């Protein structure tokens, strides 16, 4: 790619081929002539302005002006040409490579879990339902394409659990979908999840070890392979993020029980919108407070109340509090990055839990996984975009994915 000594902007514009003629020794080109055909990275136009022989086409990005990520977000078809977003895409690519490499080197089998499913793993009801466009247009409600209601997946976890009957360690890395009517900086309708399941584990420590090691190895790989790209973010988007990231890498992640976390929040001098009470789920403001309390080091919160976690979380049978063996990883600037649990492998307790939630018929196949032979197992999911936010210091999740989809917005 040719650039004239400082005359052309560093902003990359569409690649085009022009027949140009060199004029003098100053590196400027005008018109068409014989013998001078160059492929250039900038789209150029002739101009008759005095003393100016070429100029850049009129684009929404101004030369020598730094645009905010929010402004650039308006142009999803053009923002990949900016320095900051092309850096982001290279970092995403290297992070994906590092994640696959980590799991492969540790003996995990990569499973392609389905995008279309009849399961609601989270139980939240925030699903995109799948039907042929013709049926929707004709408003025929009595049949389904798959004979049962089908949805875009919210998680590949249950399908990975199926695979732990054949493989000791499995993982998936792909898109997931949530039909949340939210336009906040934390939510997307389509995002990527890294999910893993481990057989023959009876301890949350095993799962937490995989989470922490995956985080640190992936981040170290990015720093080694994309140092300039990461530096661009740390210098222009999030000053001070480099030091925060170094702290995360060199310190062991801390561990708090849910009960300890609630005690810390209740004794805090901070004012919360949502009162921290035992038995209630942690809000983002609570998560960020806990991370600050731990010196901005990632922290695991373990053993959540039985009533606020999904049916598959393993019952600790620790009355009177009654908790389950679940864990969330909280990180600076983001809050919850990973969520996981031991899975309930005891058939009698699983049946009881499914009956409580009215899911016994829907998840009869899930019971059979235990009925026909199972082992203690557990797993977790990591939000890929939230991970990128954490290491780069990006506030809005829409700025770490190539084509963000969220309520009332599906550009391109």
């Amino acid at each position: 790619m040719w650039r004239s000594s400082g005359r052309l902007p560093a902003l990359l514009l569409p690649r085009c081929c022009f027949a140009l003629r060199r004029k003098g020794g100053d590196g400027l080109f005008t018109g068409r002539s014989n013998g001078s055909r160059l492929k250039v990275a900038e789209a150029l136009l002739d101009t008759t302005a005095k003393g100016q022989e070429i100029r850049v086409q009129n684009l929404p990005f101004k030369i020598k002006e730094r645009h905010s990520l929010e402004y650039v977000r308006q142009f999803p078809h053009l923002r990949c040409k900016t320095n900051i977003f092309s850096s982001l895409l290279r970092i995403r690519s290297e992070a994906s490579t590092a994640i696959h490499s980590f799991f492969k080197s540790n003996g995990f089998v990569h499973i392609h879990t389905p995008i279309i499913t009849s399961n609601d793993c989270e139980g939240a009801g925030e699903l995109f339902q799948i039907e042929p466009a013709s049926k929707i247009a004709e408003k025929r409600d009595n049949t389904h394409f798959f004979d049962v209601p089908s949805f875009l997946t919210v998680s590949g976890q249950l399908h990975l659990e199926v695979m732990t009957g054949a493989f000791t360690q499995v993982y998936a890395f792909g898109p997931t979908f949530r039909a949340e009517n939210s336009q906040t900086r934390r939510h997307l309708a389509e995002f990527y999840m890294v999910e893993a399941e481990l057989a023959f584990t009876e301890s949350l420590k095993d799962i937490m070890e995989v989470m922490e090691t995956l985080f640190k190895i992936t981040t170290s790989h990015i720093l080694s392979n994309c140092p300039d790209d990461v530096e661009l973010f740390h210098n222009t988007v999030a000053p001070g993020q480099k030091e925060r990231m170094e702290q995360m890498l060199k310190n062991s992640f801390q561990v708090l029980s849910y009960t300890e976390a609630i005690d810390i929040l209740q004794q805090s001098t901070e004012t919360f919108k949502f009162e921290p009470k035992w038995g209630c789920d942690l809000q983002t403001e609570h998560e960020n407070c806990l991370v600050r309390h731990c010196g901005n080091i990632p922290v695991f919160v373990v053993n959540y109340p039985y009533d606020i976690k999904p049916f598959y979380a393993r019952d600790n049978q620790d009355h009177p509090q009654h908790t389950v063996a679940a864990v969330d990883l909280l990180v600076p600037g983001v809050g919850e990055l990973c969520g996981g649990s031991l899975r309930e492998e005891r058939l009698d307790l699983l049946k009881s839990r499914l009956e409580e939630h009215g899911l016994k018929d829907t998840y009869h196949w899930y019971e059979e996984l235990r009925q026909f032979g199972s082992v203690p197992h557990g797993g977790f999911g990591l939000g890929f975009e939230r991970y990128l936010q954490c290491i780069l210091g990006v506030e809005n999740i829409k700025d770490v994915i190539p084509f963000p989809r969220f309520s009332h917005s599906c550009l391109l």
Side-chain angles (χ1 to χ4, degrees):
M1 181 187 67
W2 171 86
R3 283 194 179 88
S4 65
S5 319
R7 298 295 186 93
L8 295 180
L11 178 67
L12 296 181
L13 304 179
R15 291 186 179 274
C16 305
C17 284
F18 294 90
L20 303 170
R21 182 184 65 209
R22 182 183 298 276
K23 182 174 181 179
D26 58 4
L28 296 179
F29 293 81
T30 61
R32 172 188 283 274
S33 183
N34 295 328
S36 296
R37 181 177 294 272
L38 296 177
K39 185 175 183 179
V40 299
E42 286 80 7
L44 308 175
L45 290 177
D46 288 340
T47 178
T48 57
K50 185 176 180 180
Q52 182 181 355
E53 298 191 46
I54 58 175
R55 65 181 172 85
V56 179
Q57 288 183 349
N58 186 24
L59 291 177
F61 307 132
K62 295 181 180 179
I63 308 301
K64 297 181 180 179
E65 182 175 321
R66 182 174 296 156
H67 299 84
S68 69
L69 293 174
E70 183 178 9
Y71 174 79
V72 174
R73 197 188 309 142
Q74 302 175 74
F75 310 99
H77 57 304
L78 299 176
R79 67 175 179 170
C80 61
K81 302 175 187 297
T82 64
N83 286 338
I84 193 70
F85 208 75
S86 60
S87 289
L88 180 276
L89 294 175
R90 283 190 290 271
I91 292 169
R92 271 188 75 105
S93 177
E94 285 297 334
S96 299
T97 298
I99 288 168
H100 284 295
S101 177
F102 168 82
F103 283 118
K104 182 177 180 180
S105 63
N106 284 279
F108 284 74
V109 176
H110 185 198
I111 303 296
H112 296 109
T113 55
I115 290 177
I116 299 176
T117 178
S118 59
N119 299 317
D120 175 9
C121 183
E122 297 295 322
E126 297 159 345
L127 302 167
F128 289 105
Q129 189 163 351
I130 302 295
E131 291 294 349
S134 60
K135 178 189 172 182
I136 295 172
E138 297 172 10
K139 298 182 179 180
R140 292 183 283 112
D141 299 324
N142 58 335
T143 61
H144 297 287
F145 183 84
F146 295 103
D147 290 336
V148 295
S150 55
F151 312 94
L152 293 179
T153 183
V154 296
S155 171
Q157 176 206 315
L158 298 183
H159 297 95
L160 287 181
E161 282 198 63
V162 171
M163 295 300 168
T164 58
F167 303 102
T168 305
Q169 299 179 125
V170 293
Y171 81 101
F173 187 0
T176 54
F177 307 85
R178 303 285 170 89
E180 295 183 79
N181 188 19
S182 173
Q183 299 184 37
T184 71
R185 64 184 182 88
R186 290 174 51 84
H187 293 99
L188 289 169
E190 178 185 25
F191 53 95
Y192 279 71
M193 285 284 289
V194 180
E195 298 178 279
E197 287 289 320
L198 297 79
F200 301 102
T201 178
E202 299 182 76
S203 170
L204 282 178
K205 290 182 180 180
D206 296 337
I207 298 171
M208 292 154 58
E209 182 180 355
V210 176
M211 288 185 191
E212 181 170 352
T213 308
L214 172 63
F215 181 97
K216 291 182 175 180
I217 287 182
T218 300
T219 305
S220 297
H221 176 94
I222 292 170
L223 291 175
S224 298
N225 290 273
C226 302
D228 295 337
D229 295 316
V230 174
E231 184 179 9
L232 179 62
F233 273 89
H234 291 173
N235 289 341
T236 63
V237 176
Q241 183 64 19
K242 178 180 179 181
E243 291 73 20
R244 289 189 289 272
M245 191 167 67
E246 289 174 348
Q247 282 290 106
M248 288 188 274
L249 291 178
K250 74 179 184 180
N251 288 284
S252 297
F253 294 179
Q254 300 193 32
V255 182
L256 295 172
S257 71
Y258 171 87
T259 300
E260 290 172 331
I262 293 297
D263 289 342
I264 291 169
L265 294 170
Q266 291 177 338
Q267 295 171 21
S268 172
T269 58
E270 294 189 29
T271 301
F272 299 115
K273 180 179 178 180
F274 298 95
E275 181 185 358
K277 296 186 298 184
W278 203 99
C280 295
D281 211 350
L282 298 178
Q283 302 296 319
T284 302
E285 58 180 348
H286 302 149
E287 295 168 349
N288 290 332
C289 176
L290 292 171
V291 172
R292 289 191 294 270
H293 176 83
C294 295
N296 283 317
I297 304 300
V299 54
F300 292 108
V301 179
V302 301
N303 297 329
Y304 280 78
Y306 176 91
D307 291 329
I308 65 174
K309 286 299 180 180
F311 67 86
Y312 47 75
R314 193 177 197 275
D315 190 346
N316 284 330
Q317 297 184 299
D318 54 350
H319 298 282
Q321 285 188 328
H322 202 185
T323 64
V324 292
V327 55
D328 288 341
L329 174 60
L330 314 181
V331 297
V334 172
E336 181 187 345
L337 174 64
C338 300
S341 73
L342 298 180
R343 315 309 189 192
E344 185 57 82
E345 86 284 1
R346 296 162 293 184
L347 183 58
D348 56 335
L349 295 178
L350 178 61
K351 284 183 175 181
S352 174
R353 194 75 189 272
L354 288 172
E355 287 175 357
E356 288 177 16
H357 290 268
L359 298 173
K360 187 169 178 57
D361 293 337
T362 304
Y363 289 98
H364 178 68
W365 65 268
Y366 193 74
E367 290 184 7
E368 289 187 346
L369 293 180
R370 279 64 174 170
Q371 181 181 347
F372 298 137
S374 182
V375 298
H377 61 285
F380 70 92
L382 175 149
F384 186 53
E385 281 73 28
R386 288 190 179 185
Y387 166 74
L388 294 172
Q389 283 185 277
C390 174
I391 65 169
L392 298 177
V394 177
E395 291 187 355
N396 198 311
I397 197 170
K398 301 175 185 68
D399 296 323
V400 291
I401 191 169
F403 301 102
R405 273 77 172 95
F406 51 97
S407 62
H408 309 296
S409 179
C410 187
L411 300 177
L412 301 189

